Amino acid sequence: AAPIPEAVERCRELLVQAGGNRTIEAKILVVLAELEAGLGHFDEARSLYGRSKTIVEELGLLLQLGVQTFAAGTIELLAGNPEAAEAELRVGLDTLQRIGAQVASSTIAGLLGAAVYAQGRYDDAERLTELSEATAPEEDIATQIFWRGTRAKLLARKRIVDEAESVARDAVGLAAGTDALTVHGDALMNLAEVLRLVGDKEEAAAAAREARGLYEEKRNVVLLAQAEAWLRDHLDAPAGRV
């Protein structure tokens, strides 16, 4: 997977090459929006997403309209605004359920669970992980990782320690088999949080450091800063390297 700055440049080249094909342009804009969010350019990310949404609405592409709320949710979660992420993702989930797009809705439900968890609504988050688990195909690795990450933290909060660790490590194992550095890093950060919650400070730090390395390789400046802050705030580590 290319570092974010390189991917941004490639997306901008592809926009030019799209030659006015609005369907392709909309898809590229969504990818570009997520990438810009990873660099901390949230206003630009929202603008790009808005452009894509306008195109998709005008073309009447309901499936794409629902699917791409995943990007909107990702942008707002990166920006530290889980309430806005939830609002976008709920629209997407409702749209996809209405048109019977079960597989796509499972992915949105998985990320929505993370947004709800971030607001401390643990019962609602658990129900969303159950929905995601029930509707996600086994081969949809990303979705399998998403719901497991939130589920593991919920189990840890209930002090169901062995299962919490097992579910979190399953997510990391699935992510390790892909080239998705950000998804792998997120799975590791979820594992780190689970280990912190159950009192394993040393292993939690190791998982968070590994995640930080992946974010650094991807050059996702937002998640890199969040990982460093997590290490500093939760494990009493100095800022920067631990």
Side-chain angles (χ1 to χ4, degrees):
I4 287 180
E6 292 179 19
V8 166
E9 290 305 311
R10 180 56 179 155
C11 281
R12 295 197 179 278
E13 291 172 1
L14 291 172
L15 274 177
V16 174
Q17 295 170 15
N21 185 316
R22 301 185 77 209
T23 301
I24 294 175
E25 182 182 345
K27 291 180 179 179
I28 297 170
L29 286 168
V30 165
V31 175
L32 184 56
E34 283 195 68
L35 292 169
E36 291 286 4
L39 296 174
H41 304 157
F42 299 120
D43 288 342
E44 174 68 4
R46 293 181 182 112
S47 175
L48 290 164
Y49 180 81
R51 285 169 57 190
S52 178
K53 184 178 180 180
T54 296
I55 292 170
V56 171
E57 287 177 335
E58 289 177 353
L59 295 177
L61 303 175
L62 284 181
L63 176 60
Q64 180 63 21
L65 188 64
V67 167
Q68 70 181 39
T69 59
F70 185 92
T74 298
I75 290 165
E76 295 304 338
L77 285 173
L78 285 169
N81 194 344
E83 296 84 3
E86 179 185 359
E88 293 282 356
L89 291 164
R90 285 205 181 276
V91 170
L93 183 60
D94 290 346
T95 299
L96 293 169
Q97 289 180 328
R98 189 169 67 250
I99 65 175
Q102 178 173 288
V103 173
S105 69
S106 68
T107 305
I108 301 300
L111 189 63
L112 180 55
V116 171
Y117 177 91
Q119 298 174 64
R121 291 176 14 235
Y122 302 131
D123 290 343
D124 288 347
E126 184 170 12
R127 284 190 286 270
L128 286 160
T129 67
E130 291 169 351
L131 173 61
S132 182
E133 179 185 13
T135 53
E138 187 175 340
E139 64 272 16
D140 185 350
I141 300 301
T143 302
Q144 295 292 343
I145 294 167
F146 296 148
W147 71 256
R148 279 177 169 83
T150 301
R151 175 77 59 76
K153 291 184 290 189
L154 291 164
L155 289 166
R157 287 187 174 278
K158 294 179 179 180
R159 310 304 298 174
I160 307 175
V161 175
D162 289 345
E163 187 177 353
E165 289 193 34
S166 177
V167 171
R169 292 187 189 281
D170 283 348
V172 171
L174 288 169
T178 75
D179 64 353
L181 299 179
T182 298
V183 172
H184 190 179
D186 290 350
L188 284 163
M189 287 305 302
N190 285 328
L191 173 60
E193 178 65 5
V194 166
L195 292 168
R196 184 190 72 83
L197 287 168
V198 303
D200 193 339
K201 183 174 179 178
E202 184 176 345
E203 287 297 315
R209 291 189 193 108
E210 187 177 352
R212 183 181 59 190
L214 293 172
Y215 295 146
E216 189 169 33
E217 183 179 350
K218 186 66 176 177
R219 294 177 65 184
N220 188 315
V221 298
V222 174
L223 291 177
L224 176 60
Q226 289 179 5
E228 291 181 337
W230 188 94
L231 281 160
R232 181 177 62 248
D233 295 344
H234 292 306
L235 302 175
D236 299 322
R241 292 289 174 262
V242 178

